[in-house]
Amino acid sequence: MLSVYTRHHPDCAKKDDSTYRRCRCPKWLDGTLPGRSGRFRVSAKTKSWEKAELVARKYENSALSGEELKPAKMPTVKEAVGVFLGDAEARGLAPATLQKLRGIFQVQLVGFAEESGVTFLREFNPRNLTEWRQTWKKEKELARKKKFERVIGFFWYCVRQGWLRENPTATMGRVIAKHVPTDYFTADEYKRIIDATYRLGEHAERSWAPEKRGIRIRALTELMRWSGLRIRDAVTLECARLVENKLMLYQAKTGTPVFVPLPPHVADLLRSIPPGLKPNPNYFFWSGNGLPKTFVANWQRAYRRLFKVADLHKPDGTSKRSHCHMFRDTFAVEMLLAGVPIDQVSILLGHASVRVTEKHYSPWVRARQDQLEKSVQSAWQGRRGETANAG
């Protein structure tokens, strides 16, 4: 009556054998049922052949008893996105990640589907998804690359749920993003930035205490430069995390806190920082109210003014593009140039793996560069010896 078969993923080694049982590809049912005309084909909603056979018996028994066991409804795009986002929230993803996923799928993908007349999930194909991707022109290369990776993950989720037979993004080309080498502030550039914090009144756009703003942004700058904190972590830093002249960066998975020593003048500056418009004794910079994202955006605007006053230039005379994350990069690069092992720098930066650190900072590993220079020099010596013997 009903038989089980496998709909293999494109990369499955047994994709040409629909009767193969042991792979982890979706299992489907095909055949006829008593009292029902025509062919009956439906997903078993499982990757197990044995479970699929049990589902087939349920359909057959329901047909024999006169009851109709309806197959699961094919979800619409909105329904599939809703389930996907609900699962992402249940997995405990960070609020910032959830916000990005909602923007991509709940706003952009669903909006594109409505404009294109796509109602059901199965109506997506490489052609209309390529058309959607072509509308991402305003986003930068790396943003498009990461966005497409999330789209691929969404459709693989739909395949695992049994809603799709194949991932429509599987035949689409990947987004290419050129790797931009990490940039940082040299000692002279950093000095110019600190000096600019004393001259913020020259470009003040608000009347609230320019001298206080200068001290506060100077304290935040010194904090990011000497601790390696991201701006979000720095502006929401709790006062209790500064113990003497050491700053607790984070709690390791083992439960052991990771500390970084701060220069005494940085620790003193943090302790004497003037209060903001809405001071909170528990935080150095944050009021504790509102979304951290909004507070970070306010500080980023302040840094745009600061970098304008600092007026940094590249060696060729063109303006240097500066942003807050470069203080964290400066912390990492200066540590590596001083000979600190990259695995220790990775711990201080809070990276999940040293590979992440190598990806961004490997050109600055002093030990590696020293070894390369020694290898080249030893090759010179060997060549000189061969020349002398030949003479």
Side-chain angles (χ1 to χ4, degrees):
M1 304 222 286
L2 288 181
S3 59
V4 180
Y5 72 99
T6 303
R7 283 189 173 182
H8 295 283
H9 296 310
D11 56 350
C12 181
K14 301 293 182 179
K15 62 182 179 181
D16 296 328
D17 184 4
S18 62
T19 62
Y20 189 76
R21 305 183 175 204
R22 299 176 62 184
C23 65
R24 299 298 297 168
C25 297
K27 304 301 183 286
W28 281 62
L29 310 178
D30 183 40
T32 58
L33 289 174
R36 182 179 181 133
S37 61
R39 199 170 196 82
F40 182 80
R41 181 176 296 170
V42 69
S43 170
K45 305 294 182 185
T46 181
K47 298 178 182 179
S48 167
W49 190 281
E50 291 75 15
K51 291 181 180 179
E53 288 182 332
L54 294 176
V55 175
R57 302 296 82 80
K58 288 181 180 179
Y59 277 110
E60 293 169 353
N61 294 335
S62 297
L64 290 172
S65 62
E67 299 178 1
E68 185 178 1
L69 184 61
K70 296 181 179 180
K73 178 184 175 183
M74 177 59 66
T76 63
V77 177
K78 281 186 178 180
E79 291 170 343
V81 167
V83 174
F84 173 75
L85 293 176
D87 180 66
E89 189 172 353
R91 286 160 51 203
L93 298 184
T97 303
L98 292 173
Q99 186 175 8
K100 290 179 183 178
L101 293 178
R102 293 190 190 102
I104 294 172
F105 299 107
Q106 207 168 45
V107 177
Q108 299 179 31
L109 181 62
V110 172
F112 173 79
E114 292 175 350
E115 292 177 1
S116 306
V118 175
T119 302
F120 293 98
L121 186 68
R122 62 188 172 191
E123 296 177 52
F124 277 122
N125 54 58
R127 181 176 179 179
N128 52 30
L129 287 175
T130 299
E131 292 176 358
W132 178 44
R133 189 169 66 177
Q134 289 173 349
T135 64
W136 304 352
K137 295 178 181 179
K138 293 183 179 180
E139 301 175 26
K140 295 183 179 180
E141 291 179 351
L142 184 59
R144 292 199 302 270
K145 180 177 184 294
K146 291 183 176 295
K147 182 175 179 178
F148 187 58
E149 289 172 353
R150 290 188 169 102
V151 172
I152 293 173
F154 166 73
F155 281 105
W156 276 125
Y157 175 84
C158 296
V159 171
R160 291 193 296 270
Q161 293 297 316
W163 300 333
L164 296 175
R165 178 181 177 182
E166 297 177 350
N167 188 332
T169 64
T171 58
M172 296 174 63
R174 297 295 188 264
V175 176
I176 305 300
K178 296 179 182 178
H179 178 68
V180 180
T182 298
D183 199 0
Y184 73 108
F185 296 119
T186 63
D188 290 339
E189 290 171 340
Y190 184 71
K191 183 178 183 301
R192 286 179 63 89
I193 293 172
I194 294 299
D195 290 343
T197 62
Y198 293 94
R199 298 184 285 110
L200 281 181
E202 299 175 10
H203 293 262
E205 298 178 7
R206 296 183 301 178
S207 59
W208 180 77
E211 68 284 353
K212 288 186 178 180
R213 292 209 312 273
I215 297 173
R216 286 174 63 81
I217 199 169
R218 184 160 60 252
L220 180 59
T221 301
E222 295 272 40
L223 172 63
M224 291 189 288
R225 160 61 184 92
W226 297 102
S227 69
L229 287 176
R230 299 177 180 88
I231 185 170
R232 181 190 177 100
D233 297 326
V235 298
T236 58
L237 182 69
E238 302 94 336
C239 298
R241 288 171 59 181
L242 180 62
V243 182
E244 295 180 352
N245 286 352
K246 294 189 297 183
L247 182 69
M248 191 185 81
L249 296 176
Y250 63 95
Q251 198 87 3
K253 292 182 179 179
T254 58
T256 305
V258 177
F259 286 89
V260 61
L262 295 178
H265 77 277
V266 177
D268 293 340
L269 185 58
L270 287 173
R271 294 190 186 98
S272 61
I273 185 173
L277 284 171
K278 297 180 180 179
N280 186 322
N282 296 321
Y283 300 95
F284 288 110
F285 302 97
W286 191 29
S287 66
N289 300 320
L291 295 175
K293 181 179 180 181
T294 305
F295 193 58
V296 169
N298 294 337
W299 275 103
Q300 287 174 333
R301 284 193 293 271
Y303 271 104
R304 283 195 287 271
R305 293 194 296 270
L306 177 65
F307 293 136
K308 184 178 180 180
V309 176
D311 193 24
L312 303 182
H313 291 83
K314 297 179 182 178
D316 60 2
T318 59
S319 296
K320 179 170 183 173
R321 180 178 176 270
S322 304
H323 51 85
C324 301
H325 200 78
M326 290 172 65
F327 295 119
R328 176 176 168 87
D329 292 334
T330 302
F331 169 81
V333 169
E334 292 292 349
M335 295 276 284
L336 292 170
L337 291 177
V340 179
I342 194 168
D343 58 324
Q344 294 184 17
V345 176
S346 180
I347 292 173
L348 291 171
L349 293 175
H351 287 163
S353 168
V354 71
R355 292 184 179 180
V356 179
T357 316
E358 290 177 341
K359 177 182 177 181
H360 296 284
Y361 301 108
S362 58
W364 307 105
V365 179
R366 180 176 178 178
R368 186 175 300 173
Q369 183 62 36
D370 290 345
Q371 184 60 44
L372 288 174
E373 293 175 4
K374 290 179 181 178
S375 298
V376 172
Q377 291 170 358
S378 91
W380 291 347
Q381 294 173 358
R383 187 61 180 170
R384 283 197 295 269
E386 291 178 4
T387 305
N389 292 334

